Amino acid sequence: MKKRKRKFESCMICAVILFAAFAVLSRTDNAVIQEAGISVAKIIAGEGMQRLVKEDQDRPQIALTFDDGPDEEYTEKLLDGLKERGIKASFFLLGKSIEGNEHIVKRMHREGHLIGNHTYNHVQLDKISETRAREEILKTNNRIYEITGEYPVYMRPPYGAWKKDTEFCVEMIPVFWTIDTLDWKTQNVQDVLQRARKNIKNGSVILMHDEYETTVEAALALVDEFTEQGWEFVTVDRLILP
């Protein structure tokens, strides 16, 4: 029995090393990485695991992102719905909106959502001085750190305005979007859903704002609809990092 156990463990180690080697040598070739993953799964656990690995890799991923929160009335309703469905989203917070809503930020962190920076006063970063831009970003970073114990890594610049040299001023990764639902403008559930349906594709980053009742309703309806169709909702870092 001990010999069989050692033999099994050795096979697992070899399989992991084999997969790592394929991943390093084929960083830009997803097909090769996928085949390596399937081979590892087959070695370790047979055909059943092989099917699971392939299904997971074939599943398209999208990210729900929410700006301008936390909102004292609607953000927790959104969090309730996401928790019920087991979905993680990305929230880019305004520093001024955090004040008085610290418990909501704690809940976001506790429940595994990505928390990012959206400046303190919703300023357009390419319209202000570098010094003020730095202050806007760092002030919000510090508030989030005081509440969660973690400094944000990701930044959603208001209006999508990001100076090329801003990253040298603050070490953050800017996050933009591929689908603007215009939820703040229309405040119409069906309109938001239609914009998402029309433009959705693997890797889409959906922009919404968690300060409207219609947005909460539309976001949860979107989750239900696309989850049923086989899409996976992930935090935005899963789409940015390899």
Side-chain angles (χ1 to χ4, degrees):
M1 178 64 77
K2 290 183 178 180
K3 288 183 179 180
R4 289 182 181 177
K5 183 177 180 181
R6 284 196 296 270
K7 184 177 180 180
F8 177 73
E9 291 174 346
S10 298
C11 287
M12 288 186 67
I13 293 170
C14 290
V16 171
I17 292 173
L18 175 64
F19 178 65
F22 270 110
V24 170
L25 294 173
S26 313
R27 286 181 185 274
T28 59
D29 191 339
N30 289 332
V32 174
I33 295 175
Q34 179 173 341
E35 288 303 318
I38 293 172
S39 298
V40 171
K42 189 172 182 180
I43 291 171
I44 294 176
E47 295 295 330
M49 181 61 76
Q50 180 183 359
R51 287 194 299 273
L52 287 176
V53 170
K54 191 174 190 305
E55 287 170 5
D56 183 64
Q57 290 175 334
D58 288 344
R59 194 176 180 191
Q61 296 181 329
I62 48 181
L64 276 178
T65 67
F66 298 92
D67 289 4
D68 294 356
D71 180 84
E72 61 181 357
E73 184 173 359
Y74 296 116
T75 301
E76 288 211 272
K77 292 181 180 179
L78 175 60
L79 290 173
D80 289 342
L82 294 175
K83 183 178 181 180
E84 180 181 342
R85 293 161 174 79
I87 298 296
K88 303 294 187 291
S90 304
F91 292 86
F92 295 94
L93 308 184
L94 282 176
K96 66 180 183 180
S97 296
I98 292 174
E99 306 306 323
N101 293 313
E102 291 84 355
H103 63 290
I104 301 177
V105 180
K106 286 181 180 179
R107 179 181 175 183
M108 287 177 182
H109 181 257
R110 183 173 64 248
E111 295 181 359
H113 301 287
L114 183 144
I115 299 176
N117 189 320
H118 197 45
T119 75
Y120 196 88
N121 292 294
H122 204 275
V123 294
Q124 187 167 332
L125 294 171
D126 63 349
K127 299 289 187 182
I128 60 178
S129 69
E130 193 171 288
T131 298
R132 188 182 167 201
R134 179 181 173 85
E135 290 173 351
E136 282 280 338
I137 294 170
L138 293 183
K139 188 175 181 181
T140 298
N141 274 355
N142 289 336
R143 286 298 292 121
I144 293 172
Y145 175 77
E146 289 168 2
I147 297 167
T148 68
E150 295 182 10
Y151 272 101
V153 175
Y154 298 93
M155 170 80 200
R156 167 66 58 74
Y159 314 105
W162 183 257
K163 286 184 179 179
K164 290 184 178 180
D165 58 349
T166 306
E167 61 266 26
F168 298 109
C169 171
V170 289
E171 295 182 358
M172 300 197 76
I173 300 173
V175 176
F176 302 98
W177 56 88
T178 60
I179 298 176
D180 187 349
T181 63
L182 296 179
D183 59 322
W184 60 273
K185 185 175 183 179
T186 66
Q187 296 188 42
N188 181 284
V189 174
Q190 290 306 315
D191 184 77
V192 170
L193 290 174
Q194 187 58 34
R195 287 179 186 276
R197 292 175 184 136
K198 181 180 178 181
N199 299 290
I200 200 78
K201 62 181 180 180
N202 189 21
S204 287
V205 177
I206 303 172
L207 171 61
M208 306 182 88
H209 301 78
D210 53 317
E211 54 186 330
Y212 306 102
E213 184 175 9
T214 49
T215 293
V216 174
E217 184 178 342
L220 297 179
L222 193 67
V223 167
D224 291 340
E225 179 177 328
F226 283 95
T227 298
E228 186 175 348
Q229 294 177 16
W231 295 77
E232 180 184 10
F233 286 86
V234 298
T235 50
V236 76
D237 56 315
R238 293 268 304 276
L239 301 180
I240 294 175
L241 298 178

